[in-house]
Amino acid sequence: MVLSKGERDAGTILIVTMFRGENARLFERMPQMDGTRSFVTTKTQDVENPTEFSDYLTRRSQQDPDIWVLEVDIDNPERFIELLPR
């Protein structure tokens, strides 16, 4: 699901993963030492304060209107992220 549409050609892509609606994690492409840009976990949902995660996404979208936020509810999200191009 697309939660936030950003700039078509240059917007940063953020991916929220979860499994059965729980344990949300935010992945973002970050520069690596070898020059690639891999997706890494930048935020995890706190079970004690689940609204903090969505508040964080709202703040990110307000700070950078060019970002894309995509949400996938999938088993084994790490494997899914590893399959994405770098």
Side-chain angles (χ1 to χ4, degrees), residues 2-70:
V2 177
L3 299 180
S4 177
K5 283 187 177 183
E7 211 293 309
R8 189 179 79 116
D9 297 319
T12 300
I13 298 172
L14 306 179
I15 300 176
V16 177
T17 66
M18 62 186 66
F19 181 58
R20 297 184 178 163
E22 297 181 349
N23 301 321
R25 286 185 281 173
L26 180 65
F27 290 85
E28 184 173 355
R29 287 181 85 185
M30 302 295 273
Q32 304 300 306
M33 296 296 285
D34 63 1
T36 61
R37 293 178 51 86
S38 301
F39 279 96
V40 296
T41 305
T42 56
K43 185 83 174 154
T44 57
Q45 186 177 34
D46 181 359
V47 294
E48 299 291 323
N49 187 4
T51 59
E52 189 267 338
F53 189 85
S54 60
D55 292 345
Y56 176 81
L57 289 177
T58 300
R59 284 193 310 274
R60 282 294 305 270
S61 294
Q62 290 171 345
Q63 292 169 348
D64 183 0
D66 292 338
I67 66 171
W68 287 79
V69 182
L70 309 175

